Coordinates of all heavy atoms in Angstrom, one line a residue:
M1108 N -95.6 140.4 112.1 CA -96.7 141.3 111.9 C -96.7 142.2 113.2 O -96.9 141.7 114.3 CB -98.0 140.5 111.7 CG -99.2 141.4 111.5 SD -100.7 140.5 111.2 CE -100.4 139.8 109.6
P1109 N -96.6 143.5 113.0 CA -96.6 144.4 114.2 C -98.0 144.3 114.9 O -99.1 144.2 114.2 CB -96.4 145.8 113.6 CG -95.7 145.5 112.3 CD -96.2 144.2 111.8
A1110 N -98.0 144.3 116.2 CA -99.3 144.3 117.0 C -99.2 145.2 118.2 O -98.1 145.4 118.7 CB -99.6 142.8 117.4
R1111 N -100.3 145.8 118.5 CA -100.4 146.6 119.7 C -101.7 146.4 120.4 O -102.7 146.0 119.8 CB -100.3 148.1 119.3 CG -98.9 148.5 118.9 CD -98.8 150.0 118.7 NE -99.3 150.8 119.8 CZ -99.7 152.1 119.6 NH1 -99.6 152.7 118.4 NH2 -100.2 152.8 120.6
T1112 N -101.7 146.6 121.7 CA -102.9 146.4 122.5 C -103.5 147.8 122.9 O -102.7 148.8 123.1 CB -102.5 145.7 123.8 OG1 -101.9 144.4 123.5 CG2 -103.7 145.5 124.7
A1113 N -104.8 147.8 122.9 CA -105.5 149.1 123.2 C -106.6 148.7 124.2 O -107.2 147.6 124.1 CB -106.1 149.7 122.0
V1114 N -107.0 149.7 125.0 CA -108.2 149.5 125.9 C -109.3 150.3 125.2 O -109.1 151.5 124.9 CB -107.9 150.1 127.3 CG1 -109.2 150.0 128.1 CG2 -106.8 149.2 128.0
V1115 N -110.4 149.7 124.9 CA -111.5 150.3 124.2 C -112.1 151.4 125.0 O -112.6 151.2 126.1 CB -112.5 149.3 123.8 CG1 -113.7 150.0 123.1 CG2 -111.9 148.3 122.9
A1116 N -112.1 152.7 124.5 CA -112.6 153.8 125.3 C -114.0 154.1 125.0 O -114.7 154.8 125.9 CB -111.7 155.0 124.9
S1117 N -114.6 153.7 123.9 CA -116.0 154.0 123.7 C -116.9 153.4 124.8 O -116.8 152.3 125.1 CB -116.4 153.4 122.3 OG -115.8 154.1 121.3
R1118 N -117.8 154.3 125.3 CA -118.6 153.9 126.4 C -119.6 152.8 126.1 O -120.0 152.1 127.0 CB -119.3 155.1 127.0 CG -120.3 155.8 126.1 CD -121.0 157.0 126.8 NE -121.8 157.6 125.9 CZ -121.6 158.8 125.3 NH1 -120.4 159.3 125.5 NH2 -122.4 159.3 124.5
I1119 N -119.8 152.6 124.8 CA -120.7 151.4 124.5 C -119.9 150.3 123.9 O -120.4 149.3 123.3 CB -121.8 151.8 123.5 CG1 -121.2 152.3 122.2 CG2 -122.8 152.8 124.1 CD1 -122.3 152.5 121.1
G1120 N -118.6 150.4 124.0 CA -117.7 149.3 123.4 C -117.7 149.4 121.9 O -117.9 150.4 121.3
L1121 N -117.4 148.3 121.3 CA -117.3 148.2 119.8 C -118.7 147.7 119.3 O -118.8 146.6 118.8 CB -116.2 147.3 119.4 CG -114.8 147.9 119.6 CD1 -113.7 147.0 119.1 CD2 -114.7 149.3 119.0
H1122 N -119.7 148.5 119.5 CA -121.0 148.2 119.0 C -121.5 149.3 118.1 O -121.0 150.5 118.3 CB -122.0 148.0 120.2 CG -121.5 146.9 121.1 ND1 -121.6 145.6 120.8 CD2 -120.9 147.0 122.3 CE1 -121.1 144.8 121.8 NE2 -120.6 145.7 122.7
A1123 N -122.3 149.0 117.2 CA -123.0 150.0 116.3 C -122.0 151.0 115.7 O -121.1 150.6 114.9 CB -124.1 150.7 117.0
R1124 N -122.1 152.2 116.0 CA -121.3 153.3 115.4 C -119.8 153.1 115.6 O -119.0 153.2 114.6 CB -121.7 154.7 115.9 CG -121.0 155.8 115.2 CD -121.6 157.1 115.6 NE -121.2 158.2 114.7 CZ -120.1 158.9 115.0 NH1 -119.3 158.7 116.0 NH2 -119.7 159.9 114.1
P1125 N -119.3 152.8 116.8 CA -117.8 152.6 116.9 C -117.3 151.4 116.1 O -116.2 151.6 115.4 CB -117.6 152.3 118.4 CG -118.8 153.0 119.1 CD -119.9 152.9 118.1
A1126 N -118.0 150.4 116.0 CA -117.6 149.2 115.2 C -117.6 149.6 113.7 O -116.7 149.2 113.0 CB -118.6 148.0 115.4
S1127 N -118.6 150.4 113.3 CA -118.6 150.9 111.9 C -117.4 151.7 111.6 O -116.7 151.6 110.5 CB -119.9 151.6 111.7 OG -119.9 152.2 110.4
L1128 N -117.1 152.7 112.5 CA -115.9 153.6 112.2 C -114.6 152.8 112.2 O -113.8 153.1 111.3 CB -115.9 154.6 113.3 CG -117.0 155.6 113.3 CD1 -117.0 156.5 114.5 CD2 -117.0 156.5 112.0
V1129 N -114.5 151.8 113.1 CA -113.2 151.0 113.1 C -113.1 150.2 111.8 O -112.1 150.1 111.2 CB -113.2 150.2 114.4 CG1 -112.0 149.2 114.3 CG2 -113.0 151.0 115.6
S1130 N -114.2 149.5 111.4 CA -114.2 148.7 110.2 C -113.9 149.5 109.0 O -113.1 149.1 108.1 CB -115.4 147.9 110.1 OG -116.5 148.7 109.8
L1131 N -114.5 150.7 108.9 CA -114.2 151.6 107.7 C -112.7 152.1 107.7 O -112.1 152.1 106.7 CB -115.1 152.8 107.8 CG -116.6 152.6 107.4 CD1 -117.4 153.8 107.7 CD2 -116.7 152.1 105.9
A1132 N -112.2 152.4 108.9 CA -110.8 152.8 109.0 C -109.9 151.6 108.6 O -108.9 151.8 107.9 CB -110.5 153.3 110.4
A1133 N -110.2 150.4 109.0 CA -109.4 149.3 108.7 C -109.4 149.0 107.2 O -108.4 148.7 106.6 CB -109.9 148.1 109.5
A1134 N -110.6 149.1 106.6 CA -110.7 148.9 105.2 C -109.9 149.9 104.4 O -109.4 149.6 103.3 CB -112.2 148.9 104.8
G1135 N -109.9 151.1 104.9 CA -109.2 152.2 104.2 C -107.7 152.1 104.3 O -107.0 152.9 103.6
T1136 N -107.1 151.3 105.1 CA -105.7 151.2 105.2 C -105.0 150.5 104.0 O -103.9 150.7 103.7 CB -105.2 150.4 106.4 OG1 -105.7 149.0 106.3 CG2 -105.7 151.0 107.7
G1137 N -105.8 149.7 103.3 CA -105.3 149.0 102.1 C -104.5 147.8 102.4 O -103.9 147.1 101.5
V1138 N -104.4 147.4 103.7 CA -103.7 146.2 104.1 C -104.6 145.4 105.0 O -105.5 146.0 105.7 CB -102.4 146.5 104.8 CG1 -101.4 147.2 103.9 CG2 -102.6 147.2 106.1
P1139 N -104.5 144.1 105.1 CA -105.3 143.3 106.0 C -105.0 143.6 107.5 O -103.8 143.7 107.8 CB -104.9 141.8 105.7 CG -104.2 141.8 104.4 CD -103.6 143.2 104.2
V1140 N -106.0 143.9 108.2 CA -105.8 144.3 109.6 C -106.7 143.3 110.4 O -107.8 143.0 110.1 CB -106.3 145.7 109.9 CG1 -106.1 146.0 111.4 CG2 -105.6 146.7 109.1
V1141 N -106.1 142.8 111.5 CA -106.7 141.8 112.4 C -106.9 142.4 113.7 O -106.1 143.1 114.3 CB -105.9 140.5 112.5 CG1 -106.5 139.5 113.5 CG2 -105.8 139.8 111.1
I1142 N -108.1 142.2 114.3 CA -108.4 142.6 115.7 C -108.8 141.4 116.5 O -109.5 140.5 116.0 CB -109.5 143.7 115.7 CG1 -109.7 144.3 117.1 CG2 -110.8 143.2 115.2 CD1 -110.5 145.6 117.2
E1143 N -108.2 141.3 117.7 CA -108.4 140.2 118.5 C -108.9 140.6 119.9 O -108.4 141.6 120.5 CB -107.0 139.4 118.7 CG -107.1 138.2 119.6 CD -105.8 137.5 119.8 OE1 -104.9 137.8 119.0 OE2 -105.7 136.8 120.8
A1144 N -109.9 139.8 120.4 CA -110.4 140.1 121.8 C -111.0 138.8 122.2 O -111.6 138.0 121.4 CB -111.4 141.2 121.7
H1145 N -110.9 138.6 123.5 CA -111.6 137.4 124.1 C -111.1 136.1 123.5 O -111.9 135.1 123.3 CB -113.1 137.5 124.1 CG -113.6 138.8 124.7 ND1 -113.4 139.2 126.0 CD2 -114.3 139.8 124.1 CE1 -114.0 140.4 126.1 NE2 -114.5 140.7 125.0
G1146 N -109.9 136.0 123.0 CA -109.3 134.8 122.5 C -109.7 134.5 121.0 O -109.4 133.5 120.5
R1147 N -110.4 135.5 120.4 CA -110.8 135.3 119.0 C -110.3 136.5 118.2 O -110.1 137.6 118.7 CB -112.4 135.3 118.9 CG -113.0 134.2 119.6 CD -114.5 134.1 119.4 NE -114.8 134.2 117.9 CZ -115.7 135.2 117.4 NH1 -116.2 136.0 118.2 NH2 -115.9 135.2 116.1
S1148 N -110.0 136.2 116.9 CA -109.5 137.2 116.0 C -110.4 137.3 114.8 O -110.8 136.2 114.3 CB -108.0 137.0 115.7 OG -107.8 135.8 115.1
V1149 N -110.6 138.5 114.3 CA -111.4 138.7 113.1 C -110.7 139.8 112.2 O -109.9 140.5 112.6 CB -112.8 139.2 113.4 CG1 -113.5 138.1 114.3 CG2 -112.8 140.5 114.1
N1150 N -111.2 139.8 110.9 CA -110.8 140.8 110.0 C -111.4 142.1 110.5 O -112.6 142.3 110.6 CB -111.3 140.4 108.6 CG -111.1 141.5 107.5 OD1 -110.6 142.6 107.8 ND2 -111.4 141.2 106.3
A1151 N -110.5 143.1 110.7 CA -111.0 144.4 111.3 C -111.8 145.2 110.3 O -112.5 146.1 110.7 CB -109.8 145.2 111.8
A1152 N -111.8 144.8 109.0 CA -112.5 145.6 108.0 C -114.0 145.0 107.9 O -114.8 145.6 107.2 CB -111.9 145.4 106.6
S1153 N -114.3 144.0 108.7 CA -115.6 143.4 108.7 C -116.4 143.9 110.0 O -116.1 143.5 111.1 CB -115.5 141.9 108.8 OG -116.8 141.3 109.1
I1154 N -117.4 144.7 109.8 CA -118.2 145.2 110.9 C -118.9 144.0 111.6 O -118.9 144.0 112.9 CB -119.2 146.2 110.5 CG1 -119.9 146.8 111.7 CG2 -120.3 145.7 109.5 CD1 -120.8 148.0 111.5
L1155 N -119.3 143.0 110.9 CA -119.9 141.8 111.5 C -118.9 141.1 112.4 O -119.2 140.6 113.4 CB -120.6 140.9 110.5 CG -121.8 141.5 109.8 CD1 -122.4 140.6 108.8 CD2 -122.9 141.9 110.8
G1156 N -117.7 141.0 111.8 CA -116.6 140.3 112.6 C -116.4 141.1 113.9 O -116.3 140.5 115.0
I1157 N -116.3 142.4 113.8 CA -116.0 143.2 115.1 C -117.2 143.0 116.0 O -117.0 142.8 117.2 CB -115.8 144.7 114.7 CG1 -114.5 144.8 113.9 CG2 -115.8 145.5 116.0 CD1 -114.3 146.2 113.4
L1158 N -118.4 143.1 115.5 CA -119.6 143.0 116.4 C -119.6 141.6 117.1 O -120.0 141.5 118.3 CB -120.8 143.2 115.7 CG -121.1 144.6 115.2 CD1 -122.3 144.7 114.3 CD2 -121.3 145.5 116.4
S1159 N -119.1 140.6 116.4 CA -119.1 139.2 116.9 C -118.2 139.0 118.1 O -118.3 138.1 118.9 CB -118.8 138.2 115.8 OG -117.4 138.2 115.5
L1160 N -117.2 139.9 118.2 CA -116.2 139.9 119.4 C -116.9 140.3 120.7 O -116.3 140.0 121.7 CB -115.0 140.7 119.1 CG -114.1 140.2 117.9 CD1 -113.0 141.3 117.7 CD2 -113.5 138.9 118.2
D1161 N -118.0 141.0 120.6 CA -118.7 141.5 121.8 C -117.7 142.2 122.8 O -117.6 141.9 124.0 CB -119.3 140.3 122.6 CG -120.3 140.8 123.6 OD1 -120.9 141.9 123.4 OD2 -120.5 140.1 124.6
V1162 N -117.1 143.2 122.2 CA -116.1 144.1 123.0 C -116.9 145.2 123.7 O -117.6 145.9 123.1 CB -115.0 144.6 122.1 CG1 -114.1 145.6 122.8 CG2 -114.3 143.5 121.4
N1163 N -116.6 145.3 125.0 CA -117.3 146.3 125.8 C -116.2 147.4 126.2 O -115.0 147.2 126.0 CB -117.9 145.7 127.1 CG -119.0 144.7 126.7 OD1 -119.9 145.1 126.1 ND2 -118.8 143.5 127.2
H1164 N -116.8 148.5 126.8 CA -115.9 149.6 127.3 C -114.9 149.0 128.2 O -115.3 148.2 129.1 CB -116.8 150.6 128.0 CG -116.0 151.7 128.7 ND1 -115.4 152.7 128.0 CD2 -115.7 151.8 130.0 CE1 -114.8 153.4 128.9 NE2 -114.9 152.9 130.1
G1165 N -113.7 149.4 128.1 CA -112.6 148.9 129.0 C -112.0 147.6 128.6 O -111.0 147.2 129.3
D1166 N -112.5 146.9 127.7 CA -111.9 145.6 127.2 C -110.6 145.9 126.5 O -110.5 146.9 125.8 CB -112.8 144.8 126.3 CG -114.0 144.2 127.1 OD1 -114.0 144.2 128.3 OD2 -114.9 143.6 126.4
E1167 N -109.7 145.0 126.6 CA -108.4 145.1 125.8 C -108.6 144.4 124.4 O -109.2 143.3 124.4 CB -107.3 144.5 126.5 CG -106.7 145.3 127.6 CD -105.4 144.8 128.2 OE1 -105.0 143.7 127.8 OE2 -104.9 145.5 129.0
V1168 N -108.1 145.0 123.4 CA -108.1 144.3 122.1 C -106.6 144.5 121.5 O -105.9 145.3 121.9 CB -109.0 145.0 121.1 CG1 -110.5 144.8 121.5 CG2 -108.7 146.5 120.9
V1169 N -106.3 143.5 120.7 CA -105.0 143.5 120.0 C -105.2 143.8 118.5 O -106.0 143.1 117.9 CB -104.2 142.2 120.2 CG1 -102.9 142.2 119.5 CG2 -104.0 142.0 121.7
V1170 N -104.5 144.7 118.0 CA -104.6 145.1 116.6 C -103.3 144.7 115.9 O -102.2 145.1 116.4 CB -104.9 146.6 116.3 CG1 -104.9 146.9 114.9 CG2 -106.2 146.9 117.0
S1171 N -103.3 144.0 114.8 CA -102.1 143.6 114.1 C -102.3 143.8 112.6 O -103.4 143.6 112.0 CB -101.7 142.2 114.4 OG -102.7 141.3 114.1
A1172 N -101.2 144.2 111.9 CA -101.2 144.3 110.5 C -99.7 144.4 110.0 O -98.8 144.6 110.9 CB -101.9 145.6 110.1
D1173 N -99.5 144.2 108.8 CA -98.1 144.3 108.2 C -97.6 145.7 108.2 O -96.4 145.9 108.0 CB -98.0 143.6 106.9 CG -98.1 142.1 106.9 OD1 -97.6 141.6 108.0 OD2 -98.5 141.5 105.9
D1174 N -98.5 146.7 108.3 CA -98.2 148.1 108.2 C -98.3 148.7 109.6 O -99.4 148.9 110.1 CB -99.1 148.8 107.2 CG -98.8 150.3 107.0 OD1 -97.9 150.8 107.7 OD2 -99.5 150.9 106.3
P1175 N -97.2 149.1 110.2 CA -97.3 149.7 111.5 C -98.1 151.0 111.6 O -98.8 151.2 112.6 CB -95.8 150.1 111.9 CG -95.0 149.2 111.0 CD -95.8 149.0 109.8
A1176 N -98.2 151.7 110.5 CA -99.0 152.9 110.5 C -100.5 152.6 110.5 O -101.3 153.3 111.2 CB -98.7 153.8 109.2
A1177 N -100.9 151.5 109.9 CA -102.3 151.0 110.0 C -102.6 150.6 111.4 O -103.7 151.0 111.9 CB -102.5 149.8 109.1
V1178 N -101.7 149.9 112.1 CA -101.9 149.6 113.5 C -102.1 150.8 114.3 O -103.0 150.9 115.1 CB -100.8 148.7 114.0 CG1 -100.9 148.4 115.5 CG2 -100.7 147.4 113.2
D1179 N -101.2 151.8 114.2 CA -101.2 153.0 114.9 C -102.6 153.8 114.7 O -103.2 154.3 115.7 CB -100.1 153.9 114.6 CG -98.7 153.4 115.0 OD1 -98.7 152.5 115.9 OD2 -97.7 153.9 114.5
A1180 N -103.0 153.8 113.5 CA -104.3 154.5 113.2 C -105.5 153.8 113.9 O -106.3 154.5 114.4 CB -104.5 154.5 111.7
L1181 N -105.5 152.5 113.9 CA -106.6 151.8 114.5 C -106.5 151.9 116.0 O -107.6 152.1 116.7 CB -106.6 150.3 114.1 CG -107.4 150.0 112.8 CD1 -108.9 150.0 113.1 CD2 -107.1 150.8 111.7
I1182 N -105.4 151.9 116.6 CA -105.2 152.0 118.0 C -105.7 153.4 118.4 O -106.4 153.6 119.4 CB -103.7 151.8 118.4 CG1 -103.3 150.4 118.2 CG2 -103.5 152.3 119.9 CD1 -104.0 149.4 119.1
A1183 N -105.3 154.4 117.7 CA -105.8 155.8 118.0 C -107.3 155.9 118.0 O -107.9 156.6 118.9 CB -105.2 156.8 117.0
L1184 N -108.0 155.2 117.1 CA -109.4 155.2 117.1 C -110.0 154.5 118.3 O -110.9 155.0 119.0 CB -110.0 154.5 115.8 CG -110.2 155.3 114.6 CD1 -110.7 154.5 113.5 CD2 -111.2 156.5 114.9
L1185 N -109.5 153.3 118.6 CA -110.0 152.5 119.7 C -109.8 153.2 121.0 O -110.6 152.9 121.9 CB -109.3 151.2 119.7 CG -109.6 150.3 118.5 CD1 -108.6 149.1 118.4 CD2 -111.0 149.7 118.7
E1186 N -108.8 154.0 121.2 CA -108.5 154.7 122.4 C -109.3 156.0 122.6 O -109.1 156.8 123.5 CB -107.0 154.9 122.6 CG -106.3 153.6 122.8 CD -104.8 153.7 122.9 OE1 -104.2 154.8 122.5 OE2 -104.2 152.8 123.5
R1187 N -110.2 156.3 121.7 CA -111.1 157.5 121.8 C -112.6 157.0 122.0 O -112.9 155.9 121.6 CB -111.1 158.3 120.4 CG -109.9 159.0 120.2 CD -109.9 159.8 118.9 NE -111.2 160.2 118.4 CZ -111.5 160.2 117.1 NH1 -110.6 159.8 116.2 NH2 -112.7 160.6 116.7
D1188 N -113.4 157.8 122.6 CA -114.8 157.5 122.7 C -115.5 157.9 121.4 O -115.8 159.0 121.2 CB -115.4 158.2 123.9 CG -116.9 157.8 124.2 OD1 -117.4 157.0 123.4 OD2 -117.4 158.3 125.2
L1189 N -115.7 156.9 120.6 CA -116.2 157.2 119.3 C -117.7 157.4 119.3 O -118.3 157.7 118.2 CB -115.9 156.0 118.3 CG -114.5 155.7 118.1 CD1 -114.2 154.4 117.4 CD2 -113.8 156.9 117.4
T1190 N -118.4 157.4 120.4 CA -119.8 157.7 120.5 C -120.0 159.2 120.6 O -121.1 159.7 120.4 CB -120.4 157.1 121.7 OG1 -119.8 157.5 122.9 CG2 -120.3 155.6 121.6
E1191 N -118.9 160.0 120.8 CA -119.0 161.4 120.9 C -118.9 162.2 119.7 O -119.2 163.4 119.6 CB -118.0 161.9 122.0 CG -118.3 161.4 123.3 CD -117.3 161.9 124.4 OE1 -116.3 162.6 124.0 OE2 -117.5 161.6 125.5
D1192 N -118.3 161.6 118.6 CA -118.0 162.3 117.4 C -119.2 162.5 116.5 O -120.1 161.8 116.5 CB -116.9 161.6 116.6 CG -115.6 161.6 117.3 OD1 -115.4 162.4 118.2 OD2 -114.8 160.7 117.0

């Protein structure tokens, strides 16, 4: 399963709006996507799962999925400040 690491750029981390945008994007890929942080992994399509990771600005996360394009799309989101859109 392809995996890549990203540093979370959103100034509030993966809370509220950024978590929602990431979970919606993951759900839209059509394949299971996993996000890992702080030694825990969750379904990236689950906003509650993402929130439970307690990811802050500058934390590293690992995204994995069977589809490299899905991984790339999520990495691109995570590396943007999603609080500005």
Side-chain angles (χ1 to χ4, degrees):
M1108 183 178 290
R1111 286 186 48 204
T1112 301
V1114 175
V1115 175
S1117 290
R1118 64 180 176 258
I1119 62 169
L1121 290 182
H1122 302 284
R1124 186 169 191 273
S1127 175
L1128 292 172
V1129 170
S1130 68
L1131 287 172
T1136 65
V1138 298
V1140 180
V1141 174
I1142 187 167
E1143 179 182 340
H1145 309 298
R1147 295 187 49 236
S1148 59
V1149 298
N1150 176 352
S1153 167
I1154 187 169
L1155 293 177
I1157 293 173
L1158 290 170
S1159 75
L1160 293 174
D1161 194 30
V1162 175
N1163 296 304
H1164 171 79
D1166 287 354
E1167 284 190 353
V1168 297
V1169 177
V1170 176
S1171 56
D1173 286 332
D1174 180 2
V1178 174
D1179 291 344
L1181 271 283
I1182 292 293
L1184 270 180
L1185 292 163
E1186 291 180 338
R1187 289 180 26 217
D1188 185 354
L1189 299 173
T1190 59
E1191 295 181 353
D1192 294 338

